[in-house]
Amino acid sequence: MQNTQTEYIRSITDFKPEIAVILGSGLGELANEVSPIAEIEYKNIPNMPVSTAPSHKGKLIFGKFEGKNIVLMQGRVHLYEGYSSKQIADIIRLLKNLGVNTLILTNAAGGINKEFNVGDFMLIKDHISCFIDSPLIGANDDNYGVRFPDMSNAYDKDLQKLIKKVAYENNIKLNEGTYVQLKGPQFETPSEIKMLSTLGADAVGMSTVVETIAAVHCGLKVGAISMISNMACGIYDKPLSGEDVTIAAKKAGPQFRKLIKEIIKAL
Ligand code: HPA
């Protein structure tokens, strides 16, 4: 299926991106800062899942940024939208087919670690896949990777170093921690957050882990950053809403965009 998708994109542009960035909540506007060589809407790509989440636009934007060939995914798709982990793997493999070797993942997440504050950033050092299907279930496609891929260094160590250096040099506070993905779309209960905290999670979200597993399987270098859009349920006695996430994402947007831009520059 990725071949049909790759052929469709190749019929529009022969541009070869090396770096892909999946833009989470609050980062969509980064696309305005890239002079696009081509823009392709997901809905025009054969069999491509279309984002239904608010503020996720659904476009691939190809262009040069700081001399680098990049592709931005403006809008991601989530399991809670009814898509399968395999459909998400296919998107990552499409990026691989287009020439991408480095994938920067961004997201909004709920803070579990009590040292975090809303609006903070967290470098994802490792993840926990919780109650979600692996994107690698089913016959293994040996063209992409091995049946049993190693996940000991899912988040590339050199990329982690580079991201920390960039944050430090730009005076951007960067926490570090473990991200856990659940399926959603409901926010967690206080008991679930207690469980996730006991398991060692620092932040919780509804994306990224599936993308990372698929990316590591096909040999992409992955770097990932969460923006803490709210403290997770039960950390404070405060009900959560999707709107809070959007508001926090908007507020942190300029600094988040700066961080990502500087990372791309440094790559
Ligand atoms: N839980 C799960 N996903 C999220 C949250 C949360 O608290 N905030 C942003 N995405």
Side-chain angles (χ1 to χ4, degrees):
M1 187 214 292
Q2 290 89 343
N3 287 341
T4 340
Q5 294 178 334
T6 312
E7 277 163 24
Y8 172 74
I9 290 170
R10 285 287 168 249
S11 74
I12 295 171
T13 178
D14 60 2
F15 184 78
K16 287 214 164 58
E18 291 171 77
I19 303 165
V21 187
I22 300 190
L23 303 173
S25 311
L27 265 179
E29 285 175 35
L30 190 67
N32 303 337
E33 298 179 42
V34 173
S35 17
I37 285 170
E39 285 192 20
I40 302 175
E41 291 195 41
Y42 299 169
K43 66 176 186 323
N44 295 331
I45 304 173
N47 297 312
M48 180 86 169
V50 176
S51 348
T52 62
S55 79
H56 284 261
K57 282 209 174 135
K59 248 199 268 178
L60 281 179
I61 298 151
F62 298 87
K64 284 243 175 220
F65 187 81
E66 297 288 346
K68 313 265 160 58
N69 283 9
I70 67 167
V71 57
L72 301 178
M73 286 199 73
Q74 197 182 32
R76 59 151 53 88
V77 298
H78 305 83
L79 298 175
Y80 66 71
E81 293 172 82
Y83 297 118
S84 66
S85 292
K86 170 74 171 65
Q87 282 176 295
I88 292 168
D90 286 343
I91 296 174
I92 302 296
R93 290 172 184 178
L94 172 62
L95 297 176
K96 167 87 181 178
N97 290 349
L98 294 174
V100 168
N101 54 44
T102 302
L103 177 63
I104 307 292
L105 298 169
T106 65
N107 62 48
I112 297 176
N113 186 324
K114 290 188 177 135
E115 314 248 304
F116 295 175
N117 293 302
V118 171
D120 279 0
F121 301 108
M122 182 189 92
L123 174 69
I124 301 183
K125 296 197 74 176
D126 200 0
H127 72 224
I128 299 172
S129 169
C130 199
F131 309 135
I132 55 176
D133 278 345
S134 165
L136 308 178
I137 286 175
N140 186 55
D141 188 338
D142 298 334
N143 293 316
Y144 287 104
V146 297
R147 171 77 287 189
F148 301 110
D150 177 43
M151 290 287 143
S152 3
N153 291 301
Y155 300 87
D156 186 77
K157 285 265 167 28
D158 292 335
L159 215 41
Q160 286 188 41
K161 260 192 225 154
L162 178 140
I163 294 171
K164 281 199 265 189
K165 183 167 177 275
V166 166
Y168 179 77
E169 285 173 356
N170 286 279
N171 250 325
I172 297 174
K173 183 182 167 204
L174 184 66
N175 300 298
E176 297 175 15
T178 297
Y179 174 95
V180 59
Q181 179 181 350
L182 276 76
K183 208 182 261 181
Q186 74 284 359
F187 289 114
E188 301 70 33
T189 63
S191 299
E192 285 165 346
I193 293 299
K194 209 191 258 177
M195 169 189 80
L196 298 172
S197 173
T198 308
L199 294 178
D202 297 288
V204 56
M206 304 175 194
S207 64
T208 302
V209 170
V210 169
E211 296 160 350
T212 297
I213 295 170
V216 171
H217 176 250
C218 68
L220 300 185
K221 272 195 211 168
V222 179
I225 301 167
S226 293
M227 188 278 294
I228 305 299
S229 57
N230 56 282
M231 291 312 285
C233 183
I235 300 288
Y236 302 132
D237 186 18
K238 183 178 176 293
L240 302 184
S241 78
E243 211 178 7
D244 290 344
V245 174
T246 313
I247 292 169
K250 207 164 190 173
K251 211 163 148 203
Q255 216 186 19
F256 207 178
R257 291 197 289 277
K258 162 112 181 131
L259 179 58
I260 300 301
K261 278 192 294 190
E262 293 295 332
I263 291 168
I264 298 171
K265 218 196 261 188
L267 272 169

